[in-house]
Amino acid sequence: MALKDTIQTLLQQVSGLQAANTEELEALRIKYLSKKGEITALFNEFRNVPADQKRELGQLLNQLRQQTEERINELREKLDESRESREERLDLTRTPDPIALGTRHPLSLVREEIIDIFSRIGFTVAEGPEVEDDKHVYGMLNFAPEHPARDMQDTFFIEKEIGVQKPTDVLLRSHTSSVQTRVMTSQKPPIRVLCPGRVYRNEAISARAHCFFHQVEGLYVDKNVSFADLREALLYFSKEMFGAETKIRLRPSYFPFTEPSAEMDISCNICGGKGCSFCKGTGWVEILGCGMVDPNVLEACGIDSKIYSGYAFGMGVERITNLKYRVKDLRLFSENDVRFLRQFESC
Ligand code: PHE
């Protein structure tokens, strides 16, 4: 086909070009106008055109290139317009898709419930550091220097220089009684505080033990605080937490920081005290340790033990949660499995 005819056909073709999207448009640009495009090829051919036709064909060719460029620009504008109108149709005031809200962690639920119950009888919350020193965790709490709790088997010590294992007195607190020593050294009685928080012990992880868990400990120091006050407060707590029919029993025990000390059981809330597999047939389950604050502890914290006395108690939040919600494996609490966590949605 003579060059002139080719140009004429292309001129017609070009005026009817269409593109549904930017990719198609780009394909057209490449087809006609790129270095290897059809129109560029015609310009190459034009070099061989006899001189007498050059003027006419040159004009035609330029017209073709111009019209193609115009058509492609036109199509680009059209596409831009339709995109803009689509964006205009976007309703930015529309309510967004619902966001899936998480649920409160069962340990948080129970911790809050414990705090709520004790706050009704005047307790406030005190918090302290998880990375502690020996003095606040053991020393001021009347632990003998060689007490086994200080052993590496039970306590996580923190190396002062990374990789260098030297004896150190920096450790992860193994109970929140450390917060009690901090409160007693910084406040004057009457003191009535709850110390909730995470604690760490060097235990092998299993369904029944973990290397960290949560506690709520309590401390009351005032004039004339008696063991009867302690018993009454704990009975009140147990009934509020596990139901009005709950009974408690105190068994003698030992803690370095309390004297006398006791372990408290509640009547098994699963079988109602009749005896079941959960309470191993005894009808009782242990839930906390408690006692009267040892005068040595009061003195170590700068409180005159001749004027003041106090009681203290400490419980594991996991244990209370297990009793309330029958969670069989402690590891579930820290695995972050939403199938487990969602079950507490309505609690
Ligand atoms: N600190 C004790 C523990 O972690 C609990 C406790 C607190 C016992 C206060 C008696 C009095 O096991």
Side-chain angles (χ1 to χ4, degrees), residues 266-321:
I266 58 164
S267 50
C268 178
N269 73 326
I270 290 168
C271 61
K274 285 190 213 70
C276 66
S277 63
F278 189 82
C279 59
K280 300 198 188 77
T282 62
W284 296 96
V285 281
E286 184 188 316
I287 67 162
L288 57 81
C290 60
M292 301 307 290
V293 182
D294 193 300
N296 286 345
V297 173
L298 294 175
E299 296 293 337
C301 295
I303 294 174
D304 190 340
S305 64
K306 288 183 206 71
I307 304 176
Y308 295 104
S309 55
Y311 66 65
F313 57 85
M315 64 187 102
V317 181
E318 278 80 350
R319 177 111 186 106
I320 308 285
T321 311

Short mmCIF file of all heavy atoms in Angstrom, two decimals, residues 266-321:
data_model
loop_
_atom_site.label_atom_id
_atom_site.label_comp_id
_atom_site.label_asym_id
_atom_site.label_seq_id
_atom_site.Cartn_x
_atom_site.Cartn_y
_atom_site.Cartn_z
N ILE A 266 -11.27 -22.07 100.94
CA ILE A 266 -12.71 -21.82 100.89
C ILE A 266 -13.40 -23.15 100.63
O ILE A 266 -12.79 -24.07 100.08
CB ILE A 266 -13.11 -20.80 99.78
CG1 ILE A 266 -12.66 -21.29 98.39
CG2 ILE A 266 -12.60 -19.42 100.09
CD1 ILE A 266 -13.35 -20.56 97.25
N SER A 267 -14.66 -23.24 101.05
CA SER A 267 -15.42 -24.46 100.74
C SER A 267 -15.48 -24.56 99.22
O SER A 267 -15.72 -23.56 98.54
CB SER A 267 -16.80 -24.38 101.36
OG SER A 267 -17.41 -23.13 101.03
N CYS A 268 -15.24 -25.75 98.70
CA CYS A 268 -15.13 -25.94 97.24
C CYS A 268 -16.38 -25.41 96.54
O CYS A 268 -17.49 -25.85 96.82
CB CYS A 268 -14.93 -27.42 96.93
SG CYS A 268 -14.84 -27.76 95.17
N ASN A 269 -16.18 -24.45 95.67
CA ASN A 269 -17.35 -23.83 95.04
C ASN A 269 -17.86 -24.67 93.87
O ASN A 269 -18.84 -24.32 93.24
CB ASN A 269 -17.03 -22.39 94.60
CG ASN A 269 -16.12 -22.35 93.39
OD1 ASN A 269 -15.26 -23.20 93.24
ND2 ASN A 269 -16.31 -21.37 92.53
N ILE A 270 -17.19 -25.78 93.60
CA ILE A 270 -17.66 -26.64 92.51
C ILE A 270 -18.64 -27.69 93.06
O ILE A 270 -19.71 -27.89 92.51
CB ILE A 270 -16.45 -27.26 91.78
CG1 ILE A 270 -15.76 -26.12 91.01
CG2 ILE A 270 -16.89 -28.40 90.85
CD1 ILE A 270 -14.42 -26.45 90.46
N CYS A 271 -18.28 -28.33 94.19
CA CYS A 271 -19.18 -29.36 94.74
C CYS A 271 -19.92 -28.83 95.96
O CYS A 271 -20.71 -29.56 96.59
CB CYS A 271 -18.39 -30.60 95.10
SG CYS A 271 -17.13 -30.29 96.36
N GLY A 272 -19.67 -27.57 96.32
CA GLY A 272 -20.35 -27.00 97.49
C GLY A 272 -19.83 -27.59 98.80
O GLY A 272 -20.53 -27.56 99.82
N GLY A 273 -18.66 -28.20 98.77
CA GLY A 273 -18.06 -28.71 100.01
C GLY A 273 -18.28 -30.19 100.23
O GLY A 273 -17.81 -30.77 101.21
N LYS A 274 -18.98 -30.83 99.28
CA LYS A 274 -19.27 -32.26 99.48
C LYS A 274 -18.04 -33.12 99.15
O LYS A 274 -17.92 -34.25 99.62
CB LYS A 274 -20.43 -32.69 98.57
CG LYS A 274 -21.78 -32.21 99.07
CD LYS A 274 -22.87 -32.89 98.24
CE LYS A 274 -24.09 -31.99 98.06
NZ LYS A 274 -23.86 -30.83 97.18
N GLY A 275 -17.19 -32.61 98.34
CA GLY A 275 -16.01 -33.39 97.92
C GLY A 275 -16.13 -33.79 96.46
O GLY A 275 -17.11 -34.44 96.08
N CYS A 276 -15.19 -33.38 95.64
CA CYS A 276 -15.20 -33.74 94.22
C CYS A 276 -13.75 -33.86 93.73
O CYS A 276 -12.83 -33.70 94.52
CB CYS A 276 -15.95 -32.68 93.40
SG CYS A 276 -15.13 -31.06 93.38
N SER A 277 -13.59 -34.14 92.44
CA SER A 277 -12.21 -34.33 91.96
C SER A 277 -11.42 -33.03 92.04
O SER A 277 -10.22 -33.04 92.26
CB SER A 277 -12.23 -34.86 90.52
OG SER A 277 -12.84 -33.90 89.68
N PHE A 278 -12.13 -31.90 91.89
CA PHE A 278 -11.43 -30.61 91.91
C PHE A 278 -10.79 -30.36 93.28
O PHE A 278 -9.64 -29.93 93.37
CB PHE A 278 -12.39 -29.48 91.55
CG PHE A 278 -11.69 -28.16 91.35
CD1 PHE A 278 -11.08 -27.87 90.14
CD2 PHE A 278 -11.62 -27.22 92.36
CE1 PHE A 278 -10.41 -26.67 89.95
CE2 PHE A 278 -10.96 -26.02 92.19
CZ PHE A 278 -10.36 -25.74 90.96
N CYS A 279 -11.55 -30.65 94.34
CA CYS A 279 -11.01 -30.41 95.70
C CYS A 279 -10.38 -31.69 96.26
O CYS A 279 -10.13 -31.77 97.46
CB CYS A 279 -12.09 -29.85 96.62
SG CYS A 279 -13.52 -30.93 96.81
N LYS A 280 -10.17 -32.64 95.38
CA LYS A 280 -9.58 -33.95 95.74
C LYS A 280 -10.34 -34.58 96.91
O LYS A 280 -9.73 -35.16 97.82
CB LYS A 280 -8.10 -33.79 96.09
CG LYS A 280 -7.29 -33.23 94.92
CD LYS A 280 -5.82 -33.48 95.11
CE LYS A 280 -5.00 -32.78 94.06
NZ LYS A 280 -4.83 -31.32 94.30
N GLY A 281 -11.66 -34.44 96.87
CA GLY A 281 -12.51 -35.09 97.86
C GLY A 281 -12.53 -34.43 99.23
O GLY A 281 -13.20 -34.91 100.13
N THR A 282 -11.80 -33.32 99.38
CA THR A 282 -11.73 -32.73 100.73
C THR A 282 -12.84 -31.71 101.01
O THR A 282 -13.13 -31.40 102.15
CB THR A 282 -10.39 -31.97 100.92
OG1 THR A 282 -10.34 -30.90 99.97
CG2 THR A 282 -9.20 -32.88 100.72
N GLY A 283 -13.45 -31.18 99.96
CA GLY A 283 -14.47 -30.15 100.15
C GLY A 283 -13.89 -28.76 100.32
O GLY A 283 -14.63 -27.78 100.44
N TRP A 284 -12.54 -28.64 100.34
CA TRP A 284 -11.90 -27.34 100.54
C TRP A 284 -10.87 -27.08 99.44
O TRP A 284 -10.22 -28.01 98.97
CB TRP A 284 -11.17 -27.30 101.89
CG TRP A 284 -12.08 -27.44 103.07
CD1 TRP A 284 -12.37 -28.58 103.75
CD2 TRP A 284 -12.81 -26.39 103.71
NE1 TRP A 284 -13.24 -28.32 104.77
CE2 TRP A 284 -13.53 -26.96 104.78
CE3 TRP A 284 -12.94 -25.01 103.51
CZ2 TRP A 284 -14.35 -26.24 105.62
CZ3 TRP A 284 -13.76 -24.28 104.36
CH2 TRP A 284 -14.46 -24.89 105.39
N VAL A 285 -10.72 -25.82 99.06
CA VAL A 285 -9.63 -25.46 98.15
C VAL A 285 -8.88 -24.25 98.70
O VAL A 285 -9.48 -23.29 99.19
CB VAL A 285 -10.13 -25.15 96.71
CG1 VAL A 285 -10.41 -26.41 95.93
CG2 VAL A 285 -11.35 -24.25 96.72
N GLU A 286 -7.55 -24.35 98.59
CA GLU A 286 -6.71 -23.27 99.12
C GLU A 286 -6.71 -22.08 98.17
O GLU A 286 -6.59 -22.26 96.96
CB GLU A 286 -5.28 -23.81 99.26
CG GLU A 286 -4.33 -22.84 99.88
CD GLU A 286 -2.90 -23.36 99.80
OE1 GLU A 286 -2.68 -24.55 100.08
OE2 GLU A 286 -2.02 -22.56 99.43
N ILE A 287 -6.90 -20.88 98.70
CA ILE A 287 -6.85 -19.73 97.78
C ILE A 287 -5.85 -18.64 98.14
O ILE A 287 -5.48 -17.85 97.29
CB ILE A 287 -8.24 -19.09 97.52
CG1 ILE A 287 -8.81 -18.43 98.76
CG2 ILE A 287 -9.22 -20.08 96.91
CD1 ILE A 287 -9.93 -17.44 98.39
N LEU A 288 -5.40 -18.60 99.39
CA LEU A 288 -4.44 -17.51 99.69
C LEU A 288 -3.63 -17.76 100.96
O LEU A 288 -3.97 -18.61 101.78
CB LEU A 288 -5.15 -16.16 99.76
CG LEU A 288 -6.32 -15.92 100.72
CD1 LEU A 288 -5.83 -15.62 102.13
CD2 LEU A 288 -7.14 -14.73 100.23
N GLY A 289 -2.58 -16.98 101.09
CA GLY A 289 -1.76 -16.97 102.30
C GLY A 289 -1.98 -15.65 103.02
O GLY A 289 -2.27 -14.63 102.40
N CYS A 290 -1.86 -15.69 104.36
CA CYS A 290 -2.12 -14.45 105.10
C CYS A 290 -1.48 -14.51 106.49
O CYS A 290 -0.89 -15.52 106.87
CB CYS A 290 -3.63 -14.24 105.24
SG CYS A 290 -4.46 -15.59 106.10
N GLY A 291 -1.62 -13.45 107.23
CA GLY A 291 -1.10 -13.44 108.60
C GLY A 291 -0.98 -12.04 109.13
O GLY A 291 -1.29 -11.06 108.44
N MET A 292 -0.52 -11.96 110.40
CA MET A 292 -0.28 -10.66 111.02
C MET A 292 1.15 -10.22 110.67
O MET A 292 2.08 -11.02 110.79
CB MET A 292 -0.43 -10.75 112.55
CG MET A 292 -1.80 -11.23 113.00
SD MET A 292 -3.17 -10.26 112.30
CE MET A 292 -2.95 -8.70 113.17
N VAL A 293 1.28 -8.98 110.24
CA VAL A 293 2.61 -8.50 109.80
C VAL A 293 3.61 -8.66 110.95
O VAL A 293 3.35 -8.22 112.08
CB VAL A 293 2.54 -7.01 109.36
CG1 VAL A 293 3.90 -6.55 108.87
CG2 VAL A 293 1.50 -6.83 108.27
N ASP A 294 4.71 -9.33 110.66
CA ASP A 294 5.74 -9.55 111.69
C ASP A 294 6.28 -8.20 112.18
O ASP A 294 6.60 -7.34 111.35
CB ASP A 294 6.87 -10.39 111.08
CG ASP A 294 7.81 -10.93 112.13
OD1 ASP A 294 8.41 -10.11 112.86
OD2 ASP A 294 7.93 -12.16 112.22
N PRO A 295 6.38 -8.01 113.51
CA PRO A 295 6.91 -6.72 114.03
C PRO A 295 8.25 -6.36 113.42
O PRO A 295 8.54 -5.18 113.20
CB PRO A 295 7.04 -6.98 115.54
CG PRO A 295 6.08 -8.08 115.83
CD PRO A 295 5.98 -8.92 114.59
N ASN A 296 9.07 -7.36 113.09
CA ASN A 296 10.37 -7.07 112.45
C ASN A 296 10.19 -6.33 111.13
O ASN A 296 11.01 -5.49 110.75
CB ASN A 296 11.13 -8.37 112.16
CG ASN A 296 11.69 -8.98 113.42
OD1 ASN A 296 11.75 -8.30 114.46
ND2 ASN A 296 12.06 -10.24 113.35
N VAL A 297 9.13 -6.69 110.40
CA VAL A 297 8.87 -6.05 109.10
C VAL A 297 8.46 -4.60 109.32
O VAL A 297 8.97 -3.69 108.67
CB VAL A 297 7.79 -6.83 108.32
CG1 VAL A 297 7.40 -6.08 107.06
CG2 VAL A 297 8.27 -8.24 108.00
N LEU A 298 7.56 -4.39 110.30
CA LEU A 298 7.12 -3.01 110.59
C LEU A 298 8.33 -2.15 110.95
O LEU A 298 8.51 -1.05 110.42
CB LEU A 298 6.10 -3.02 111.74
CG LEU A 298 4.75 -3.70 111.45
CD1 LEU A 298 3.89 -3.72 112.72
CD2 LEU A 298 4.00 -2.97 110.34
N GLU A 299 9.16 -2.70 111.82
CA GLU A 299 10.35 -1.93 112.27
C GLU A 299 11.30 -1.65 111.09
O GLU A 299 11.80 -0.54 110.95
CB GLU A 299 11.09 -2.68 113.39
CG GLU A 299 10.28 -2.85 114.69
CD GLU A 299 10.01 -1.53 115.42
OE1 GLU A 299 10.76 -0.55 115.20
OE2 GLU A 299 9.02 -1.47 116.20
N ALA A 300 11.51 -2.67 110.24
CA ALA A 300 12.41 -2.49 109.10
C ALA A 300 11.91 -1.39 108.17
O ALA A 300 12.68 -0.76 107.45
CB ALA A 300 12.56 -3.80 108.32
N CYS A 301 10.60 -1.18 108.21
CA CYS A 301 10.01 -0.15 107.34
C CYS A 301 9.79 1.16 108.09
O CYS A 301 9.13 2.08 107.58
CB CYS A 301 8.69 -0.64 106.76
SG CYS A 301 8.88 -2.06 105.68
N GLY A 302 10.28 1.23 109.32
CA GLY A 302 10.19 2.48 110.06
C GLY A 302 8.85 2.72 110.73
O GLY A 302 8.47 3.85 111.02
N ILE A 303 8.12 1.63 111.02
CA ILE A 303 6.83 1.78 111.70
C ILE A 303 6.97 1.20 113.11
O ILE A 303 7.48 0.07 113.28
CB ILE A 303 5.70 1.06 110.92
CG1 ILE A 303 5.48 1.77 109.58
CG2 ILE A 303 4.40 1.01 111.72
CD1 ILE A 303 4.51 1.09 108.64
N ASP A 304 6.56 1.95 114.11
CA ASP A 304 6.70 1.53 115.50
C ASP A 304 5.75 0.37 115.81
O ASP A 304 4.53 0.53 115.84
CB ASP A 304 6.41 2.73 116.43
CG ASP A 304 6.79 2.42 117.87
OD1 ASP A 304 6.89 1.22 118.22
OD2 ASP A 304 6.97 3.39 118.64
N SER A 305 6.35 -0.81 116.03
CA SER A 305 5.51 -2.01 116.22
C SER A 305 4.86 -2.05 117.60
O SER A 305 4.03 -2.92 117.85
CB SER A 305 6.36 -3.26 115.99
OG SER A 305 7.38 -3.34 116.95
N LYS A 306 5.26 -1.12 118.47
CA LYS A 306 4.57 -1.09 119.78
C LYS A 306 3.25 -0.32 119.66
O LYS A 306 2.32 -0.52 120.42
CB LYS A 306 5.47 -0.44 120.83
CG LYS A 306 6.61 -1.36 121.23
CD LYS A 306 7.45 -0.74 122.34
CE LYS A 306 8.86 -1.29 122.29
NZ LYS A 306 9.61 -0.78 121.10
N ILE A 307 3.18 0.54 118.67
CA ILE A 307 1.94 1.32 118.50
C ILE A 307 1.04 0.68 117.44
O ILE A 307 -0.18 0.64 117.58
CB ILE A 307 2.29 2.78 118.07
CG1 ILE A 307 3.23 3.41 119.08
CG2 ILE A 307 1.01 3.61 117.89
CD1 ILE A 307 3.71 4.80 118.70
N TYR A 308 1.68 0.17 116.40
CA TYR A 308 0.88 -0.33 115.28
C TYR A 308 0.99 -1.83 115.10
O TYR A 308 2.01 -2.44 115.42
CB TYR A 308 1.35 0.34 113.98
CG TYR A 308 1.10 1.84 113.97
CD1 TYR A 308 2.17 2.73 114.17
CD2 TYR A 308 -0.17 2.34 113.77
CE1 TYR A 308 1.95 4.10 114.16
CE2 TYR A 308 -0.40 3.71 113.76
CZ TYR A 308 0.66 4.59 113.95
OH TYR A 308 0.43 5.93 113.94
N SER A 309 -0.10 -2.37 114.54
CA SER A 309 -0.06 -3.78 114.12
C SER A 309 -0.74 -3.84 112.75
O SER A 309 -1.35 -2.86 112.30
CB SER A 309 -0.78 -4.68 115.12
OG SER A 309 -2.10 -4.21 115.33
N GLY A 310 -0.62 -4.97 112.10
CA GLY A 310 -1.22 -5.04 110.77
C GLY A 310 -1.44 -6.46 110.29
O GLY A 310 -0.90 -7.41 110.87
N TYR A 311 -2.29 -6.59 109.28
CA TYR A 311 -2.42 -7.91 108.65
C TYR A 311 -2.08 -7.78 107.17
O TYR A 311 -2.10 -6.68 106.60
CB TYR A 311 -3.80 -8.53 108.88
CG TYR A 311 -5.01 -7.85 108.25
CD1 TYR A 311 -5.16 -7.78 106.85
CD2 TYR A 311 -6.04 -7.36 109.05
CE1 TYR A 311 -6.29 -7.20 106.28
CE2 TYR A 311 -7.17 -6.77 108.48
CZ TYR A 311 -7.29 -6.70 107.10
OH TYR A 311 -8.40 -6.13 106.53
N ALA A 312 -1.74 -8.93 106.60
CA ALA A 312 -1.42 -8.96 105.16
C ALA A 312 -1.95 -10.26 104.58
O ALA A 312 -2.12 -11.26 105.30
CB ALA A 312 0.09 -8.87 104.95
N PHE A 313 -2.26 -10.21 103.32
CA PHE A 313 -2.69 -11.45 102.63
C PHE A 313 -2.22 -11.36 101.19
O PHE A 313 -1.90 -10.27 100.69
CB PHE A 313 -4.21 -11.64 102.70
CG PHE A 313 -4.98 -10.47 102.14
CD1 PHE A 313 -5.25 -10.38 100.77
CD2 PHE A 313 -5.44 -9.45 102.98
CE1 PHE A 313 -5.95 -9.29 100.26
CE2 PHE A 313 -6.15 -8.36 102.46
CZ PHE A 313 -6.40 -8.28 101.11
N GLY A 314 -2.14 -12.49 100.53
CA GLY A 314 -1.73 -12.49 99.14
C GLY A 314 -2.35 -13.65 98.40
O GLY A 314 -2.39 -14.78 98.91
N MET A 315 -2.89 -13.35 97.22
CA MET A 315 -3.52 -14.44 96.43
C MET A 315 -3.07 -14.38 94.98
O MET A 315 -2.66 -13.32 94.47
CB MET A 315 -5.04 -14.35 96.52
CG MET A 315 -5.64 -13.09 95.93
SD MET A 315 -7.41 -13.00 96.27
CE MET A 315 -7.46 -11.81 97.59
N GLY A 316 -3.14 -15.53 94.33
CA GLY A 316 -2.82 -15.61 92.91
C GLY A 316 -4.08 -15.38 92.09
O GLY A 316 -5.10 -16.04 92.31
N VAL A 317 -4.01 -14.45 91.16
CA VAL A 317 -5.21 -14.13 90.36
C VAL A 317 -5.59 -15.33 89.46
O VAL A 317 -6.76 -15.62 89.27
CB VAL A 317 -4.97 -12.86 89.50
CG1 VAL A 317 -6.21 -12.51 88.69
CG2 VAL A 317 -4.58 -11.69 90.39
N GLU A 318 -4.57 -16.04 88.96
CA GLU A 318 -4.85 -17.21 88.13
C GLU A 318 -5.67 -18.25 88.89
O GLU A 318 -6.60 -18.85 88.36
CB GLU A 318 -3.54 -17.86 87.65
CG GLU A 318 -2.92 -17.18 86.44
CD GLU A 318 -2.12 -15.92 86.78
OE1 GLU A 318 -2.22 -15.45 87.93
OE2 GLU A 318 -1.43 -15.39 85.89
N ARG A 319 -5.29 -18.44 90.15
CA ARG A 319 -5.97 -19.45 90.98
C ARG A 319 -7.45 -19.08 91.16
O ARG A 319 -8.33 -19.92 91.01
CB ARG A 319 -5.26 -19.50 92.34
CG ARG A 319 -5.87 -20.42 93.33
CD ARG A 319 -4.96 -21.61 93.59
NE ARG A 319 -5.60 -22.61 94.44
CZ ARG A 319 -6.05 -23.76 93.98
NH1 ARG A 319 -5.95 -24.06 92.72
NH2 ARG A 319 -6.61 -24.62 94.80
N ILE A 320 -7.70 -17.82 91.47
CA ILE A 320 -9.08 -17.36 91.68
C ILE A 320 -9.86 -17.49 90.36
O ILE A 320 -11.02 -17.90 90.34
CB ILE A 320 -9.10 -15.88 92.16
CG1 ILE A 320 -8.19 -15.68 93.38
CG2 ILE A 320 -10.53 -15.42 92.45
CD1 ILE A 320 -8.68 -16.19 94.68
N THR A 321 -9.18 -17.14 89.26
CA THR A 321 -9.84 -17.22 87.94
C THR A 321 -10.17 -18.68 87.61
O THR A 321 -11.25 -18.98 87.09
CB THR A 321 -8.92 -16.63 86.85
OG1 THR A 321 -8.45 -15.36 87.30
CG2 THR A 321 -9.66 -16.45 85.54
#
